[in-house]
Structures are given as C-alpha cells and as structure tokens.
Amino acid sequence: MAHRLEQQVAIVTGGSRGIGQAICESLARDGAVVLAVARNVEKTQAWVAALGADVPGRIVPVALDVTDVAAVNAFVDRVAEEHGRIDILVNNAGITRDGLVMSMEDDQFKQVLDTNLTAAFYFVRAASRHMLRARRGRIINISSVGGLMGNPGQANYSAAKAGLIGMSKSVAKEVAKRGITCNVVAPGFIETDMTADLPEKIREGAKQVIAMQRFGNPGEVAEVVRFLAGPESSYITGQTIVVDGGMYM
C-alpha cells in the first residue's frame, strides 16, 4: 500500500500522549517524518520505543517549551533547514487550569491562553513562512467542542479553543492562494489521561448528552487529522470538523 505522506515533514505539538501521540503515529504510518514536540520528551521516547519496527525513524521526539517564542522560531527554522521542507503543522499542545470565573486567578487564565492559543500562533507564523515559499502546506489546529459551546469552569480553556477557530479562519483566507490549507479539528470527550481523571458521575453524565453514548478514542481524532493532512483534503480550508459522537449539533 502506497503511503500518501511519503517524504513529507510534519510538526506535531503536544505529542507526548493521548491525541497527540495518536496523531504522530497516524501520520508516521502514512509515510511522514514527524517531529513530536512536547515538554516531557521522556514520555514520547517511551512510546516511540515501544512501537518497535513499525515506523522506524519516522517519529523524532523533541523537547520544547511551546510558549517560548524564540525557541519556537529557532526550532521551526532548523526543521526547514535540515529537512528542506515543512509540509504539515498540527497544533495540539494544550493544558487545563479549571476554575469558576469569579475565582479564577490571573495566572490560571494566562497560562491556558499562552499554551493553547498563543503558542499555536507562534508555530503558525513560523511555519507558514516556509510553506508560503514552497507554495504548499497543511495547518491543522486542534480545538475542542468547548470552544464552540463553552463549559462551566473552563472560561480560559473555552476562550483559547474558540480563539483557535477564529485564528484558523483568518489564516485560511491569508494563505489559500499559495496552496496552503488551514483547518480545525474539534474533539469532544475522548478517552485520554485528562478525561480518565474525571469522577465517574461526571463521565456518565457526559455520555448521556452524546448521541453515540460513549467517549471517542484518540485514533478517531487522529484519522481526521490524517485526512486533512493528505491530498484528498486539498479543497477544504477554513473549516471546523467536530469529532464528538454527536454531542454538539
């Protein structure tokens, strides 16, 4: 079977676990060289080693603070220089610092915006410069249904995820003429470490508002990302694809 992404170079932030890990694996299995960016590189190294010979050398763990603009710029330029191209950018890095808005601390709000939105802007700005010169590229930003419908206790998270959607639409309009697409994937409740920590009562309550009555798995999100990264999605841009089992509709 031919690999659709053969010889392409992808940067995936938040690549140490969960959805990010699944995205890295999916792109690599389809032939891409994947730079898996995360603060905790040891976690990435562990699961990459466990893959064995499945995707030899295609996933490269990278330790990076995505909120450090100078480090991001230097990293993206180095990738372009060493590999000669940047074809795919997936902004998946994200954190939560939940709390009701009336008692939310400034740092709780700022930290989430810095990691979930501002860092994505840093990567889009840096990578798009190389994509524009090459006249090709796929930018995929991972938002959330929280950015579409809001969520109690997550004013910071929902603001950041909504901001990703708005930013992506603007970017899509700016870069489309150069053959670059920019889209958003908005997952709902997905089985990750983050949702595993939820009390069982909240998990069961969440399932009651999901049409499919279950949480998704990271691979189901990763396959949508892989589609948007591939040639079949060449006429799709500025769109938000919701992967939530029918929770928000």
Side-chain angles (χ1 to χ4, degrees):
M1 178 179 172
H3 290 137
R4 301 177 311 156
L5 306 178
E6 196 70 50
Q7 298 184 334
Q8 294 198 26
V9 175
I11 296 172
V12 179
T13 71
S16 67
R17 60 180 182 165
I19 292 172
Q21 176 181 341
I23 291 169
C24 290
E25 289 187 31
S26 181
L27 296 180
R29 292 183 193 283
D30 212 359
V33 172
V34 181
L35 288 304
V37 175
R39 191 186 294 268
N40 188 335
V41 73
E42 291 80 12
K43 285 186 178 180
T44 313
Q45 290 169 334
W47 66 255
V48 168
L51 290 175
D54 283 355
V55 284
R58 287 209 186 108
I59 301 176
V60 182
V62 177
L64 185 71
D65 177 0
V66 298
T67 67
D68 183 336
V69 63
V72 169
N73 289 338
F75 166 70
V76 171
D77 288 346
R78 186 170 69 250
V79 171
E81 181 179 352
E82 292 178 357
H83 295 272
R85 58 196 295 165
I86 297 175
D87 302 281
I88 302 160
L89 169 65
V90 183
N91 282 305
N92 172 69
I95 61 171
T96 57
R97 298 286 186 270
D98 294 352
L100 295 176
V101 70
M102 67 189 76
S103 57
M104 184 174 288
E105 299 288 342
D106 292 351
D107 277 352
Q108 282 179 277
F109 193 86
K110 186 176 184 302
Q111 287 170 10
V112 170
L113 268 289
D114 286 349
T115 300
N116 297 21
L117 179 58
T118 306
F121 161 70
Y122 292 157
F123 272 93
V124 169
R125 180 176 60 184
S128 65
R129 291 167 178 164
H130 298 284
M131 291 178 176
L132 286 166
R133 284 196 289 271
R135 291 181 173 271
R136 65 171 183 271
R138 297 282 190 271
I139 299 169
I140 303 157
N141 294 318
I142 308 301
S143 180
S144 165
V145 291
L148 295 166
M149 59 188 290
N151 202 28
Q154 290 193 318
N156 48 5
Y157 185 81
S158 295
K161 293 302 188 179
L164 275 177
I165 294 171
M167 182 178 75
S168 298
K169 290 178 181 293
S170 293
V171 171
K173 290 180 178 180
E174 291 181 16
V175 302
K177 290 182 180 178
R178 293 292 186 98
I180 302 164
T181 65
C182 181
N183 290 291
V184 176
V185 176
F189 281 94
I190 306 298
E191 293 285 6
T192 64
D193 292 348
M194 195 179 294
T195 55
D197 291 336
L198 292 173
E200 189 60 28
K201 184 177 180 180
I202 292 178
R203 287 174 57 88
E204 289 305 313
K207 289 177 184 177
Q208 297 309 307
V209 298
I210 299 171
M212 298 185 76
Q213 298 281 288
R214 69 172 177 87
F215 286 5
N217 67 68
E220 290 173 308
V221 179
E223 285 305 293
V224 177
V225 173
R226 187 169 70 101
F227 165 72
L228 291 173
E232 295 89 348
S233 67
S234 57
Y235 202 54
I236 300 172
T237 196
Q239 302 304 307
T240 299
I241 299 179
V242 181
V243 185
D244 71 346
M247 185 175 89
Y248 173 79
M249 58 178 171

